[in-house]
Amino acid sequence: MRSIYLLVTFFWGINSMAQNKKVIILDIDSKTPIQSAIMQSQSGNVTLLADENGLILLNNDIQKNYYVTISCVGYKAETLLLSKLNFTDARATVYLQKSVSSLKDVVVSSSSKTGLFKTISDLDIHLRPINNSQEVLRMVPGLFIGQHAGGGKAEQIFLRGFDIDHGTDINISVDGMPVNMVSHSHGQGYADLHFLIPELIQKVNFNKGPYFADKGNFTTAGYVEFRTKDYLTNSFAKIEAGQFNTARVVTGINLLKAKADGKNQSLYIAGEGSYTKGFFASPQDFSRVNGIIKYRTNLNNQNTLTATATAFSSKWNASGQIPDRVVDAGTIGFFGAIDPNEGGNTSRYNVNFELLSYLNDGGTIRNQLFYSKYNFELYSNFTFFKEDPINGDQIRQKENRNIFGYNSIYHKEYYIGKYKTETNAGVQIRYDDVNDIELTRTKNRTIDLSPLMMGDVTELNVGSFYSQRISLTKKMDITGAVRVDYFTNKYNDKLSSNKLSSNSAILSPKLNFNYKVNNNVKLYLYNGRGFHSNDTRVAVQQNGKKVLPPAYGSDLGGIFKIGDKMFLQTAFWYLWLDQEFVYVGDEGVVEAGGQTRRYGIDVSVRYELARNLYADIDLNFTNPRSIGVPATENYIPLAPRITSIGGITYRKLTGWNGSLRYRYMADRPANESNSVIAKGYFVTDAAVNFSKKKWEAGFSIQNLFNVKWKETQFDTESQLQTETSPVSEIHFTPGTPFYARLNYTVYF
């Protein structure tokens, strides 16, 4: 019955208006809602968070004679007496003025919803050198990415001692839609973010570990969720040009004007087109086209509907990974290629409907329906002439996919006796229909030699969760949660005419503690079980492999405000996995890697050096090991051990802005015995902008000091056409050389 009620709610929006008083927080210039604004009493005992409509629901903790401070990153804080607000129809409006925030205004809260580093503002995003939305992932402390097959392929991801490949152990979403592709032709969890236009990113929420009940498959190392802008403050047009025949054009246009404060409805369209020849000896010729149309309307005081449609298409050539021996011998250059016919094309089309409803019990319910149409074709050559000394080892990985999904999440804050509590519960359904998923040996992209795998995949994942947070005191809260996931996997093998299927389920409990020692110190202990699913083509066979291997983790950490101008966040963490997978791309199999454990320390520091001048540094130390194997063979290939990102940023609303940033990854093992080393790197990026109300100009430089570095590396056994036997050694994709780009934006 509950499911029927949720569906009726979505299509008809018939919920009654909540009787609680609400405060709506708006930008004073654009009159648009300010998401994630915080209302805090002067004593610090009450902290309330605004939703996506800028609404703060006043609960029993708030008294009319309270002085409260309303703040948000990027805005000047306002302190006011609650009884002085003018409530009309149980609503009052507060306006905030944009400003560059000082760290002295940032508050430490006991709430688990307002973590200091969980939200990144769009001000941070446009200051840093970014080629595409995938690179926004680099803003997550400790997360690294690497490209190894042309600009159009999803990047390799590293986080918390994981070589995540393209997304096996990190959950990525955009506006509630999953980015990770289950049972993908190139690798489990493949997460391609290139359909997202960077200029339209409103915020990036992230966290680490398997501690969050609303995050399901792939949430072992952590999650990243992007939210796109609901409103465009101004229409804009942007042009970029740079080295290596690079050009990019982006535009966003408001199609409706606000009818009243709060933007009762908004409609905008945006598009992006980009091209680069690339810095490789063999031209990359990477091109991408993106488009989006987004409509948002307040149907009434009870319901807000958001509808989004996006389109994305790209194609590229790639130089792949080249072996050290050919570069050392001078056969090809550092940016050369063995097989210049690698590359591919991909496209994705999304339709997304979200309905946020305020219920008469004081809670909210969010219902979402989405659909994605996805195509993928990739040509690779990892081993050159090892398997076929005449035609070579090029392969094609291809698929045609439809994704259908439904999410429903209920949220309510209330009291049980004298204890403040919060309930979150939800249902998440995802169905993937993948047609003609294949792995085929090819030559020069044109000649099909022999199919290795060919079939159809269907995969259904039904998940539900329940989370209860209770504040035992004004300083301490405990959150207990449980999640249940059920999978149905089916594979129609067209080469053997076998139709295989399997069913599996997993229970994932969580238990988190937050304790606010005082206004400057918050401590937390998070514990939880998560999982990542196996590829359907392996899950239906099993053969000793676990279909849904669990992960168990714990984080013990704290957030510390040191003086008025410094914040420190640190965590000691541990993560144990029941089984990891190694994807062998040219063979189309997933190998079971056995049990593993990782532990480490994360440290993040933010410091305000002077007015408008900020410094930040993130340090991550990890010890990743396999379990149940000799100590001389228990290294996890390519797992990062020491990483760091940081820099200095000068930020103003108008005038000069800039940043100087670095990223560092230390040497790490490339094989289980640590006898082959993947070399580390230290790369510096810079950006400078000059902003006015109607325009902005700037330039960015990647690899400012033009260091020679290897972006991705693999210990691979390959054989050249001139060789009589295969050789195992480091194969790499070179990192970006000095790369300068100019940009100019006009607002209208």
Side-chain angles (χ1 to χ4, degrees):
M1 292 298 294
R2 183 64 176 171
S3 299
I4 295 175
Y5 171 72
L6 298 182
L7 287 170
V8 170
T9 298
F10 182 87
F11 287 109
W12 297 100
I14 58 174
N15 301 293
S16 301
M17 178 64 180
Q19 298 304 310
N20 303 67
K21 287 185 176 181
K22 299 179 179 67
V23 177
I24 182 169
I25 315 300
L26 300 179
D27 184 296
I28 194 170
D29 296 317
S30 65
K31 305 301 187 293
T32 56
I34 300 175
Q35 301 178 20
S36 301
I38 297 173
M39 175 185 287
Q40 187 171 55
S41 62
Q42 282 193 326
S43 65
N45 292 334
V46 180
T47 301
L48 303 174
L49 189 67
D51 66 14
E52 65 189 62
N53 287 318
L55 283 174
I56 294 178
L57 178 66
L58 302 184
N59 58 29
N60 296 341
D61 278 342
I62 286 285
Q63 301 177 22
K64 64 180 182 179
N65 61 344
Y66 269 14
Y67 276 95
V68 296
T69 298
I70 300 175
S71 61
C72 186
V73 173
Y75 288 87
K76 181 181 178 181
E78 290 286 340
T79 299
L80 48 87
L81 182 62
L82 207 57
S83 61
K84 295 295 185 180
L85 290 179
N86 180 25
F87 285 91
T88 303
D89 295 329
R91 290 192 181 197
T93 302
V94 173
Y95 296 97
L96 296 185
Q97 177 74 49
K98 281 186 177 178
S99 174
V100 177
S101 297
S102 172
L103 290 184
K104 68 179 181 181
D105 298 324
V106 181
V107 298
V108 175
S109 168
S110 61
S111 172
S112 58
K113 298 187 298 182
T114 55
L116 180 62
F117 301 122
K118 287 172 63 176
T119 301
I120 301 170
S121 73
D122 57 347
L123 292 174
D124 295 319
I125 290 171
H126 91 274
L127 275 176
R128 301 184 185 181
I130 297 171
N131 275 336
N132 54 62
S133 55
Q134 197 92 358
E135 294 192 15
V136 180
L137 287 171
R138 284 181 174 151
M139 294 186 181
V140 177
L143 190 150
F144 279 64
I145 64 171
Q147 179 59 258
H148 61 250
K153 182 184 175 184
E155 278 78 359
Q156 189 177 6
I157 302 173
F158 303 91
L159 179 66
R160 279 204 162 179
F162 280 89
D163 170 13
I164 299 177
D165 197 25
H166 299 290
T168 310
D169 289 283
I170 187 168
N171 182 309
I172 301 177
S173 63
V174 173
D175 291 335
M177 294 186 300
V179 177
N180 302 80
M181 295 291 177
V182 296
S183 305
H184 189 269
S185 58
H186 185 68
Q188 178 70 333
Y190 186 89
D192 185 356
L193 265 172
H194 293 116
F195 68 89
L196 184 60
I197 301 175
E199 287 79 4
L200 298 182
I201 297 173
Q202 176 68 31
K203 62 179 179 178
V204 187
N205 291 332
F206 60 86
N207 224 317
K208 302 176 186 178
Y211 315 123
F212 313 99
D214 60 328
K215 304 297 184 293
N217 198 8
F218 307 119
T219 314
T220 50
Y223 73 86
V224 183
E225 57 181 13
F226 294 83
R227 299 297 302 187
T228 59
K229 293 181 178 181
D230 293 321
Y231 313 94
L232 290 184
T233 304
N234 296 289
S235 298
F236 71 93
K238 180 178 183 179
I239 185 170
E240 294 184 0
Q243 291 177 275
F244 315 116
N245 293 348
T246 299
R248 179 172 177 262
V249 177
V250 189
T251 186
I253 300 175
N254 275 316
L255 298 178
L256 292 177
K257 298 295 184 182
K259 291 186 176 180
D261 285 1
K263 291 278 187 180
N264 287 330
Q265 59 178 344
S266 172
L267 175 65
Y268 72 81
I269 60 172
E272 173 194 28
S274 63
Y275 170 83
T276 183
K277 182 179 179 181
F279 50 82
F280 296 92
S282 177
Q284 186 179 359
D285 290 332
F286 169 46
S287 62
R288 179 177 69 240
V289 177
N290 279 334
I292 181 174
I293 180 168
K294 189 168 188 178
Y295 176 67
R296 182 179 180 85
T297 182
N298 296 331
L299 300 175
N300 47 44
N301 285 339
Q302 307 152 242
N303 300 284
T304 300
L305 175 67
T306 304
T308 310
T310 68
F312 154 73
S313 179
S314 73
K315 61 180 180 179
W316 68 95
N317 299 318
S319 297
Q321 300 105 51
I322 58 176
D324 276 344
R325 61 186 184 274
V326 296
V327 177
D328 294 341
T331 306
I332 64 173
F334 190 74
F335 298 99
I338 301 296
D339 184 350
N341 293 303
E342 296 189 50
N345 60 84
T346 186
S347 63
R348 179 168 180 167
Y349 305 90
N350 302 304
V351 179
N352 187 20
F353 296 93
E354 293 182 88
L355 181 68
L356 176 64
S357 302
Y358 299 90
L359 307 179
N360 57 7
D361 66 353
T364 62
I365 190 167
R366 182 189 304 276
N367 288 280
Q368 177 183 22
L369 290 171
F370 63 86
Y371 166 75
S372 294
K373 175 66 175 177
Y374 174 79
N375 292 284
F376 177 83
E377 184 175 22
L378 179 68
Y379 293 87
S380 306
N381 191 342
F382 304 107
T383 55
F384 310 127
F385 290 90
K386 175 176 174 285
E387 304 296 331
D388 187 338
I390 298 176
N391 297 298
D393 299 347
Q394 187 182 89
I395 58 172
R396 178 177 65 228
Q397 294 163 315
K398 188 176 181 180
E399 66 171 65
N400 180 345
R401 178 184 301 250
N402 296 284
I403 306 174
F404 304 87
Y406 169 69
N407 297 322
S408 180
I409 298 177
Y410 171 79
H411 167 81
K412 183 182 178 182
E413 296 184 17
Y414 55 102
Y415 280 81
I416 300 177
K418 65 178 181 179
Y419 300 108
K420 182 181 178 182
T421 188
E422 174 186 308
T423 297
N424 289 282
V427 176
Q428 298 164 334
I429 302 172
R430 172 177 175 173
Y431 178 76
D432 287 68
D433 178 22
V434 191
N435 299 306
D436 296 325
I437 185 169
E438 72 164 89
L439 173 65
T440 302
R441 293 206 179 278
T442 60
K443 181 179 181 180
N444 298 331
R445 293 202 194 185
T446 58
I447 303 173
D448 290 357
L449 300 175
S450 60
L452 300 178
M453 299 185 74
M454 174 71 74
D456 298 328
V457 167
T458 58
E459 183 169 330
L460 172 67
N461 175 202
V462 179
S464 62
F465 67 90
Y466 178 84
S467 173
Q468 192 73 37
R469 179 171 66 91
I470 185 167
S471 298
L472 298 179
T473 68
K474 296 293 185 180
K475 293 185 175 183
M476 183 173 182
D477 68 58
I478 300 176
T479 302
V482 64
R483 180 183 179 92
V484 179
D485 282 272
Y486 175 81
F487 284 80
T488 295
N489 302 80
K490 295 181 180 181
Y491 180 53
N492 176 20
D493 190 336
K494 294 184 177 180
L495 298 183
S496 66
S497 299
N498 289 331
K499 294 183 178 180
L500 305 172
S501 64
S502 71
N503 300 308
S504 52
I506 188 169
L507 182 70
S508 304
K510 330 275 185 179
L511 183 61
N512 301 332
F513 301 85
N514 289 278
Y515 180 68
K516 182 179 177 181
V517 179
N518 52 47
N519 287 338
N520 296 318
V521 179
K522 168 188 170 181
L523 304 177
Y524 59 88
L525 173 63
Y526 289 174
N527 307 274
R529 186 193 202 205
F531 71 97
H532 61 203
S533 65
N534 206 339
D535 189 292
T536 288
R537 291 163 291 182
V538 179
V540 295
Q541 300 176 24
Q542 296 188 24
N543 296 329
K545 302 178 180 66
K546 297 182 181 296
V547 179
L548 300 173
Y552 298 87
S554 292
D555 266 58
L556 175 62
I559 298 174
F560 308 89
K561 187 172 184 180
I562 304 171
D564 286 337
K565 297 186 177 181
M566 178 180 287
F567 272 90
L568 166 69
Q569 178 169 352
T570 184
F572 300 88
W573 60 271
Y574 179 89
L575 188 62
W576 182 91
L577 270 75
D578 197 28
Q579 189 174 82
E580 288 197 31
F581 303 118
V582 178
Y583 185 76
V584 184
D586 57 343
E587 298 178 9
V589 298
V590 178
E591 296 178 346
Q595 295 178 344
T596 62
R597 64 105 180 108
R598 293 168 171 82
Y599 60 83
I601 303 172
D602 292 345
V603 179
S604 295
V605 180
R606 303 292 183 267
Y607 181 59
E608 189 172 345
L609 297 169
R611 182 177 175 84
N612 301 322
L613 185 63
Y614 303 85
D616 64 274
I617 183 171
D618 299 308
L619 294 167
N620 311 96
F621 304 92
T622 308
N623 188 330
R625 290 289 188 272
S626 296
I627 298 175
V629 296
T632 56
E633 297 290 334
N634 70 348
Y635 292 88
I636 301 177
L638 304 179
R641 295 184 293 183
I642 302 174
T643 61
S644 180
I645 58 175
I648 297 175
T649 300
Y650 182 74
R651 186 171 67 192
K652 295 178 65 178
L653 290 181
T654 59
W656 290 104
N657 293 272
S659 67
L660 181 67
R661 308 199 56 77
Y662 76 88
R663 41 198 160 102
Y664 167 72
M665 180 178 287
D667 294 352
R668 61 197 192 279
N671 63 357
E672 291 81 358
S673 64
N674 199 26
S675 59
V676 180
I677 301 297
K679 295 295 184 181
Y681 57 83
F682 187 101
V683 178
T684 306
D685 303 322
V688 175
N689 294 307
F690 185 81
S691 301
K692 300 292 284 185
K693 186 176 181 179
K694 294 294 185 179
W695 60 271
E696 179 179 82
F699 71 88
S700 63
I701 299 174
Q702 290 183 290
N703 194 358
L704 178 64
F705 301 109
N706 199 28
V707 299
K708 186 176 287 187
W709 61 293
K710 298 176 180 179
E711 186 164 11
T712 56
Q713 301 170 70
F714 304 88
D715 182 17
T716 304
E717 188 177 71
S718 67
Q719 184 173 332
L720 303 177
Q721 195 166 24
T722 57
E723 295 175 331
T724 58
S725 60
V727 177
S728 181
E729 65 173 354
I730 287 291
H731 292 53
F732 70 93
T733 297
T736 307
F738 181 94
Y739 181 17
R741 293 178 296 126
L742 300 173
N743 64 80
Y744 181 76
T745 306
V746 294
Y747 302 99
F748 54 93

